[in-house]
Amino acid sequence: MLAGDPSTGSCYATPSSLKLWGCVNRSRNFVRIRGSSSSVTSVLSAERVDLRDEDEIEADFGRKFRLPHISDVFPDLEPLPTTFSVKSSYPLPDYHFDDESKDLKKMYVHNDDRVLLKVIEYVSPTSAGADCEGEDCKFRHLRVWRAGPRKKIYIRPEEVKAAIVTCGGLCPGLNDVIRQIVFTLDKYGVKNIVGIPYGYRGFFDDSLSDINLTTHYVQNIHLSGGSLLGVSRGGGQTSDIVDSLEKRGINMLFVLGGNGTHAGANAIHDECWRRKMKVMVVCVPKTIDNDILLMDKTFGFDTAVEAAQRAISAAYIEARSAYHGIGVVKLMGRQSGFIAQYASLASGHVNACLIPEVPFTLHGPNGLLVYLEHLIHTQGSAVVCIAEGAGQELLPPKGSKDASGNPVLSDTGVYLQQQIKNHFIAAGTPADVKYIDPTYMIRACQANSSDSILCTVLGQNAVHGAFAGFSGITVGLCNTHYAYFPIPQVIDHPRRVDPSSRMWHRCITSTGQPDFTPRA
């Protein structure tokens, strides 16, 4: 049995039951303890399980995912009828909005609409991909805010000066998002739109001038890769950037970037509202690695996977055409191996996929090199796909960081190529190793049709969110629906491949690779 002091939340177990349970403390967290009558020390391996009332859990989630709104700072601000017409290419005239119109009745999103964050009801915590708690694995209705145009807006379009900035590295689809933000702002009636050149640098570098953006100017920018506005990593002081916003009269800022850029945008949002500035800051996640939490995918990822196929196909042809040929392809993925995983799964030619989330060993009976030797002897060739962040533990750390604060990675692709060559020389077996790194070719690609559609809808919803009065938010695809998220919740940590997920299992089933995990 269990005994305890509810006033302090302390618990202790008595060695008299086969299944031991904990007690509720002040925070109402429940402690489940698995053990036997002869092992009181099993208390040390207690698993914390939240057994609060379901309504309380969902309410707590709702508080965390509540979107910052301009009315939080200006409670007396009166909303206005929207100027966005879903039935016309022009703004609604004279702010007239017929709420009873049959044509418009179902064209706008209700502010209480929500998107379910999770859609699978797992029966057991041992089910593939299960992330539930407790033996009953109870489904919880956790909801995030649905994106889209609202009937009410919180700023007059003629008072808006909007700015767009692209930060970090290049990614397919940047121009598509820029174009659609401009088009949607124009549809609301906004005419004063500028682009900030070269990321956050454009806010404090006096040598850089804003770029005036019109629908005519951005009409065809989606036909090329890169960013019309340019990109750069890092940025200045938050206070300096907010000073610049205030000086330029910018009251609607759209930021395209990854985790670090989002953190910067959230700091800008906080500082603007601390100063009681009526500024809306809205992000669109830009990460080719697909490593933003809670989202199905981010723009550029599909294009990257598709473009990676050409590199893998070239490596396969080179390997098959050579005597004892081995192709090594390095793809993007600093902390998350989604591109390598999906590209390997899509290609069907990869024999080993190496990602940061799954450690691997090169040498020894369970190592990659012995496996490649086996492939050479049995099928005459092999192809290896490695994410840039995989195998970093095999090399001494660089100890430096880039302008975004990310650790500078060692080049494990080149290292792997050399290790393969050395192994086959030592084994007395000739091998022809070809190494391909298509990173910058992929990053500079024009977005494919799938990403282009994603970029279009993300850009539209970013503008809808800003006019709805939200700030400090980002927009993303969640369970095939578009949703708004508070920035802190999506940058808590990078999204990573789950080695126990069905998709990773599908990948290694496709490649046929054994377990390269280092043995103790």
Side-chain angles (χ1 to χ4, degrees):
M1 296 179 64
L2 279 176
D5 181 357
S7 65
T8 62
S10 62
C11 305
Y12 62 91
T14 57
S16 59
S17 63
L18 295 178
K19 193 170 186 179
L20 306 177
W21 297 89
C23 61
V24 180
N25 64 14
R26 286 180 178 175
S27 64
R28 302 186 67 185
N29 286 329
F30 204 83
V31 180
R32 175 190 302 149
I33 304 167
R34 293 189 178 92
S36 67
S37 59
S38 61
S39 179
V40 183
T41 56
S42 62
V43 172
L44 298 177
S45 60
E47 174 190 350
R48 299 186 69 81
V49 177
D50 195 345
L51 289 188
R52 293 177 296 169
D53 179 82
E54 289 299 311
D55 290 340
E56 185 179 348
I57 293 171
E58 291 173 19
D60 182 55
F61 179 87
R63 285 189 291 270
K64 289 180 181 177
F65 280 78
R66 182 185 178 279
L67 303 180
H69 193 269
I70 192 70
S71 59
D72 299 341
V73 182
F74 302 96
D76 297 329
L77 190 63
E78 289 293 330
L80 305 164
T82 186
T83 57
F84 177 79
S85 172
V86 292
K87 302 292 285 184
S88 168
S89 59
Y90 297 97
L92 292 171
D94 302 322
Y95 299 98
H96 175 69
F97 181 82
D98 183 1
D99 196 38
E100 301 302 319
S101 169
K102 291 182 180 179
D103 290 337
L104 299 178
K105 195 170 183 182
K106 284 194 172 183
M107 297 299 180
Y108 296 92
V109 171
H110 194 285
N111 218 38
D112 292 332
D113 285 354
R114 299 291 185 268
V115 176
L116 273 175
L117 188 63
K118 301 177 182 180
V119 294
I120 299 178
E121 183 172 358
Y122 297 104
V123 175
S124 166
T126 61
S127 295
D131 56 359
C132 49
E133 297 174 333
E135 290 184 347
D136 59 350
C137 219
K138 190 160 185 176
F139 183 80
R140 289 171 178 160
H141 296 83
L142 306 179
R143 305 170 178 89
V144 291
W145 294 57
R146 185 184 178 194
R150 267 68 172 169
K151 292 180 179 180
K152 299 293 183 180
I153 59 176
Y154 284 81
I155 185 170
R156 295 180 183 275
E158 64 268 21
E159 296 175 357
V160 171
K161 182 176 182 181
I164 307 171
V165 61
T166 56
C167 305
L170 288 180
C171 176
L174 280 169
N175 282 335
D176 300 68
V177 178
I178 295 168
R179 177 178 183 267
Q180 200 56 225
I181 289 175
V182 173
F183 273 43
T184 311
L185 285 167
D186 181 76
K187 195 167 182 182
Y188 271 94
V190 177
K191 299 303 178 185
N192 197 354
I193 311 168
V194 298
I196 306 299
Y198 301 106
Y200 288 135
R201 175 182 295 276
F203 284 111
F204 56 86
D205 189 332
D206 293 336
S207 68
L208 301 174
S209 301
D210 296 351
I211 302 169
N212 290 320
L213 301 177
T214 64
T215 54
H216 178 74
Y217 189 71
V218 302
Q219 178 65 46
N220 296 315
I221 63 172
H222 64 303
L223 300 179
S224 61
S227 169
L228 169 72
L229 306 178
V231 294
S232 72
R233 297 190 180 276
Q237 297 295 319
T238 301
S239 58
D240 293 339
I241 294 174
V242 176
D243 287 344
S244 178
L245 290 174
E246 194 167 17
K247 179 180 178 181
R248 301 178 197 211
I250 293 169
N251 53 12
M252 197 174 280
L253 177 63
F254 299 96
V255 184
L256 283 59
N259 280 302
T261 301
H262 272 61
N266 196 59
I268 293 169
H269 153 76
D270 287 342
E271 179 64 14
C272 285
W273 283 18
R274 188 189 69 79
R275 299 187 189 185
K276 303 286 187 183
M277 294 169 57
K278 291 181 181 178
V279 177
M280 266 70 81
V281 181
V282 178
C283 289
V284 179
K286 175 217 62 88
T287 166
I288 203 169
D289 292 347
N290 200 33
D291 60 354
I292 297 286
L293 289 174
L294 307 176
M295 300 180 188
D296 295 355
K297 63 180 177 179
T298 50
F299 76 84
F301 174 70
D302 276 355
T303 304
V305 171
E306 183 178 298
Q309 299 306 302
R310 292 190 284 274
I312 292 174
S313 179
Y316 173 74
I317 292 170
E318 285 284 352
R320 292 292 294 176
S321 301
Y323 179 68
H324 289 181
I326 298 175
V328 177
V329 179
K330 185 181 80 171
L331 298 176
M332 290 147 298
R334 295 179 57 86
Q335 302 175 81
S336 305
F338 288 105
I339 294 178
Q341 174 188 249
Y342 276 72
S344 296
L345 189 59
S347 105
H349 293 316
V350 175
N351 302 109
C353 176
L354 309 174
I355 60 175
E357 295 86 345
V358 182
F360 65 93
T361 184
L362 285 174
H363 305 282
N366 299 309
L368 172 67
L369 298 175
V370 169
Y371 175 59
L372 292 178
E373 191 174 348
H374 165 76
L375 292 175
I376 290 298
H377 290 311
T378 56
Q379 64 182 38
S381 64
V383 175
V384 179
C385 181
I386 181 170
E388 61 182 319
Q392 290 296 313
E393 67 278 1
L394 302 177
L395 290 164
K398 292 277 188 179
S400 56
K401 295 185 177 182
D402 62 20
S404 297
N406 301 311
V408 175
L409 301 180
S410 299
D411 195 332
T412 49
V414 172
Y415 175 76
L416 179 60
Q417 175 195 28
Q418 195 57 53
Q419 289 295 307
I420 293 172
K421 288 181 177 180
N422 293 342
H423 175 81
F424 279 90
I425 289 172
T429 303
D432 190 346
V433 185
K434 297 292 194 304
Y435 176 60
I436 299 175
D437 180 357
T439 299
Y440 292 103
M441 294 176 65
I442 293 175
R443 293 165 72 94
C445 281
Q446 175 187 350
N448 65 11
S449 57
S450 174
D451 270 328
S452 184
I453 293 170
L454 177 60
C455 291
T456 296
V457 183
L458 290 175
Q460 291 175 354
N461 281 317
V463 176
H464 296 323
F467 269 102
F470 298 123
S471 183
I473 67 166
T474 191
V475 58
L477 189 64
C478 178
N479 291 324
T480 72
H481 295 280
Y482 292 88
Y484 296 133
F485 304 86
I487 291 175
Q489 299 302 328
V490 301
I491 63 172
D492 183 65
H493 59 275
R495 179 182 177 222
R496 309 189 76 196
V497 173
D498 179 2
S500 66
S501 66
R502 288 290 301 123
M503 190 57 73
W504 177 245
H505 292 164
R506 293 177 185 122
C507 180
I508 59 177
T509 297
S510 173
T511 62
Q513 68 193 68
D515 182 9
F516 301 126
T517 304
R519 304 299 198 265

